[in-house]
Amino acid sequence: MVAPGSVTSRLGSVFPFLLVLVDLQYEGAECGVNADVEKHLELGKKLLAAGQLADALSQFHAAVDGDPDNYIAYYRRATVFLAMGKSKAALPDLTKVIELKMDFTAARLQRGHLLLKQGKLDEAEDDFKKVLKSNPSENEEKEAQSQLTKSDEMQRLRSRAQYAFENSDYTAAITFLDKVLEVCVWDAELRELRAECFIKEGEPRKAISDLKAASKLKNDNTEAFYKISTLYYQLGDHELSLSEVRECLKLDQDHKRCFAHYKQVKKLNKLIESAEELIRDSRYTDATSKYESVMKTEPNVAEYTIRSKERICHCFSKDEKPVEAIRVCSEVLQVEPDNVNALKDRAEAYLIEEMYDEAIQDYETAQEHNENDQQIREGLEKAQRLLKQSQKRDYYKILGVKRNAKKQEIIKAYRKLAMQWHPDNFQNEEEKKKAEKKFIDIAAAKEVLSDPEMRKKFDDGEDPLDAESQQGGGGGGGPFHRSWNSWQGFNPFSSGGPFRFKFHFN
């Protein structure tokens, strides 16, 4: 509910001459209306003053139906339309008022104002000039003269904008059009002209804003929807492009350019949606193939190539293919050095490759552009722990396997090394001591890496067998403090394999 009086005060602040409506007395004798029409007019007037616009509109509809020649009914209905922001609906009513009562200057002045906003400058000037010739009130004369001066200025600026555009001076054209559109806010053609200037100046998003306004201001504006769709497509926003081209086809299903563009966008959109679904299902190889198809489908728009490579980089990283991930992520970062997604994915690939300094550098760069990203913060902390850990003892290196090695690979490597370095294989005392230390390391590596929970701790930069790491420092005798005796009788081949060995220790 709008507060009483607020509508008329708001209209009066914008169109001072409209206040005549509130005080306009019903001229029953002149209009020749019946009692029912008079009742509708009075009730509608009260409802309008109270801000009940929909109810007021219903009353004025009834008044017009009851007496189609009543200029007051049309004028009051036009005022309600304006209060509701429906200027297109108000304009025919104001024209009808002027037809019925040629000397009604308030209606002519208001129509001129609407025509000025629509950019119909010649028609607006005609209304303002007729107001000045019709013995207007002092306020009406002042308003008409002001609007006429403004209209003349808009004519001049519009001509200069058109001249600048024709001479490819798009910056100057935009400057002139900005001033004109401050007044002629509903001029669809001027918005389309400024959109063309923005396109020439490499500002597609500003062009889209003007074209969207033009699509609403001009009925059946298929051209605007087509241009909006193609601009979104060039920007890489395939979903919005598809939405806008569908609006074009709703207006004209046989529109050749819209239909051809629709088929291309739909095909591309389907490929991208399918690829993203595969990523959600962790089917990274299939997703990579889909994004390669995206690049083949649209090789001429660079945005789709770079976005596809960004997602392929992600797939390789998640699929633990670090070499491929680093290569593709680096291609993306050559074009977009601040691409946070590519930086994060390459950093993860560097971790798999044990290139901790490079991973830290990528995470730090990413954090500069998105300091609140928890994934970046956690990744950086992990890379720093792993770097510190690598400077001590690395279980993966002890067994000679990669960080993404499967359990079967770990067991196989362990068995081979356990046989090679078992102390019973060495007779020389010095060699035996060296073998004992090596065997302890090998057994410890197998213990950690074959246990999912312990391995996860180690992968996160925490050594589960390191007392210092577990307790935050202090005591424990170093990272591998188990003695040879603690492994006596340990069967290094007890993981369920087909071989069983028994060693005898002196």
Side-chain angles (χ1 to χ4, degrees):
M1 179 73 69
V2 182
S6 64
V7 173
T8 52
S9 63
R10 175 159 54 86
L11 281 170
S13 66
V14 181
F15 315 128
F17 44 89
L18 267 186
L19 290 176
V20 68
L21 172 63
V22 179
D23 300 322
L24 190 64
Q25 298 299 313
Y26 168 61
E27 303 175 22
E30 183 177 342
C31 296
V33 298
N34 57 42
D36 285 341
V37 172
E38 181 180 358
K39 183 179 178 182
H40 287 309
L41 288 172
E42 289 303 314
L43 183 54
K45 178 181 172 181
K46 291 177 181 177
L47 290 166
L48 174 60
Q52 299 179 38
L53 302 181
D55 293 335
L57 186 61
S58 296
Q59 295 299 321
F60 294 139
H61 279 324
V64 169
D65 291 341
D67 185 0
D69 295 326
N70 189 314
Y71 72 90
I72 296 175
Y74 286 106
Y75 187 68
R76 290 183 177 174
R77 187 169 71 175
T79 307
V80 177
F81 280 137
L82 290 171
M84 299 173 83
K86 299 179 178 179
S87 60
K88 284 186 179 179
L91 200 56
D93 275 1
L94 291 170
T95 299
K96 185 68 175 178
V97 172
I98 294 167
E99 289 176 3
L100 294 169
K101 191 169 177 62
M102 297 287 290
D103 61 347
F104 195 168
T105 54
R108 193 178 290 279
L109 197 54
Q110 175 57 22
R111 187 177 71 172
H113 191 88
L114 293 179
L115 291 169
L116 182 60
K117 284 192 167 188
Q118 290 181 346
K120 297 178 180 179
L121 302 181
D122 292 336
E123 294 177 46
E125 287 182 9
D126 184 61
D127 271 344
F128 298 140
K129 288 175 181 177
K130 286 181 178 177
V131 168
L132 293 172
K133 293 178 181 178
S134 63
N135 297 318
S137 67
E138 184 179 344
N139 286 339
E140 288 173 338
E141 182 179 5
K142 184 179 178 181
E143 180 66 22
Q145 189 59 60
S146 172
Q147 295 297 312
L148 188 58
T149 301
K150 186 181 291 184
S151 182
D152 287 341
E153 176 67 7
M154 294 306 105
Q155 292 272 28
R156 185 180 65 82
L157 288 170
R158 187 165 67 177
S159 296
R160 295 184 69 181
Q162 190 67 45
Y163 179 80
F165 179 79
E166 290 170 358
N167 287 274
S168 303
D169 189 354
Y170 305 114
T171 302
I174 290 169
T175 300
F176 294 132
L177 289 168
D178 286 346
K179 294 177 181 178
V180 178
L181 285 166
E182 287 177 6
V183 176
C184 306
V185 292
W186 300 331
D187 191 325
E189 290 182 1
L190 288 184
R191 289 195 177 274
E192 289 174 345
L193 182 61
R194 189 169 67 174
E196 286 299 316
C197 293
F198 282 136
I199 291 170
K200 297 290 186 181
E201 289 292 289
E203 297 187 86
R205 294 200 179 277
K206 288 184 179 180
I208 288 171
S209 178
D210 268 343
L211 289 168
K212 282 191 172 184
S215 71
K216 295 175 182 176
L217 292 167
K218 187 190 295 185
N219 292 332
D220 300 332
N221 197 344
T222 54
E223 189 64 23
F225 283 117
Y226 173 73
K227 286 183 178 179
I228 294 168
S229 179
T230 55
L231 286 171
Y232 274 133
Y233 186 80
Q234 294 294 325
L235 289 168
D237 200 329
H238 54 96
E239 291 178 335
L240 285 175
S241 177
L242 187 60
S243 174
E244 295 295 333
V245 77
R246 279 173 173 160
E247 292 299 318
C248 173
L249 292 172
K250 284 180 185 177
L251 297 173
D252 181 4
Q253 62 182 4
D254 297 322
H255 194 289
K256 290 184 179 179
R257 286 185 299 163
C258 281
F259 185 67
H261 184 59
Y262 169 74
K263 288 195 294 184
Q264 172 70 4
V265 183
K266 187 179 179 182
K267 180 180 180 181
L268 198 70
N269 190 66
K270 188 175 180 181
L271 281 171
I272 293 171
E273 285 183 346
S274 177
E276 288 302 308
E277 186 176 346
L278 289 168
I279 289 175
R280 287 192 291 273
D281 293 340
S282 301
R283 295 170 59 187
Y284 300 115
T285 302
D286 293 336
T288 297
S289 177
K290 286 288 183 184
Y291 270 116
E292 287 171 349
S293 296
V294 169
M295 291 189 286
K296 291 177 183 176
T297 301
E298 184 46 86
N300 300 318
V301 180
E303 187 66 21
Y304 293 106
T305 298
I306 200 70
R307 293 286 79 79
S308 295
K309 287 187 175 182
E310 179 186 323
R311 298 305 281 160
I312 291 171
C313 147
H314 177 74
C315 290
F316 280 142
S317 181
K318 291 297 180 185
D319 207 22
E320 296 188 341
K321 295 179 178 177
V323 175
E324 294 89 337
I326 292 168
R327 174 179 55 81
V328 179
C329 292
S330 297
E331 289 177 7
V332 174
L333 291 166
Q334 283 179 355
V335 180
E336 298 178 347
D338 301 333
N339 188 312
V340 172
N341 292 328
L343 284 166
K344 288 195 293 186
D345 287 323
R346 189 171 71 172
E348 288 186 21
Y350 278 142
L351 289 182
I352 296 173
E353 286 293 280
E354 301 176 18
M355 299 169 70
Y356 305 123
D357 288 319
E358 290 84 349
I360 289 170
Q361 184 177 346
D362 273 358
Y363 278 128
E364 287 177 341
T365 304
Q367 196 170 52
E368 289 174 8
H369 300 287
N370 193 347
E371 60 184 17
N372 296 320
D373 189 316
Q374 185 177 351
Q375 187 181 7
I376 295 173
R377 186 168 58 251
E378 291 176 352
L380 178 57
E381 291 171 356
K382 178 180 177 180
Q384 290 168 337
R385 288 196 305 268
L386 289 171
L387 176 62
K388 185 178 179 181
Q389 183 188 85
S390 70
Q391 295 165 349
K392 296 181 179 178
R393 193 71 66 91
D394 188 330
Y395 293 127
Y396 289 103
K397 287 184 177 179
I398 290 169
L399 293 183
V401 296
K402 290 192 173 184
R403 297 192 76 88
N404 60 346
K406 306 298 182 187
K407 185 175 180 179
Q408 187 177 1
E409 297 174 65
I410 291 167
I411 297 299
K412 182 179 179 181
Y414 165 71
R415 287 175 175 169
K416 181 180 178 181
L417 291 169
M419 288 184 65
Q420 179 183 346
W421 290 99
H422 197 285
D424 280 1
N425 294 336
F426 300 89
Q427 302 302 318
N428 181 280
E429 200 61 36
E430 286 299 318
E431 289 181 350
K432 188 181 287 288
K433 285 183 180 181
K434 180 181 176 183
E436 285 177 0
K437 185 179 183 305
K438 189 76 173 177
F439 187 84
I440 290 171
D441 289 348
I442 293 166
K446 184 260 184 185
E447 181 183 10
V448 171
L449 299 184
S450 61
D451 182 284
E453 187 176 340
M454 295 175 76
R455 182 177 180 179
K456 185 179 186 307
K457 285 184 178 182
F458 185 74
D459 286 344
D460 289 337
E462 176 186 333
D463 189 341
L465 299 183
D466 184 351
E468 182 179 351
S469 174
Q470 292 292 304
Q471 299 171 13
F480 299 95
H481 55 272
R482 297 195 187 190
S483 67
W484 164 245
N485 290 332
S486 68
W487 298 102
Q488 291 285 342
F490 175 70
N491 183 355
F493 304 96
S494 61
S495 59
F499 304 101
R500 290 292 181 269
F501 295 84
K502 186 174 181 181
F503 290 89
H504 301 279
F505 307 119
N506 293 326

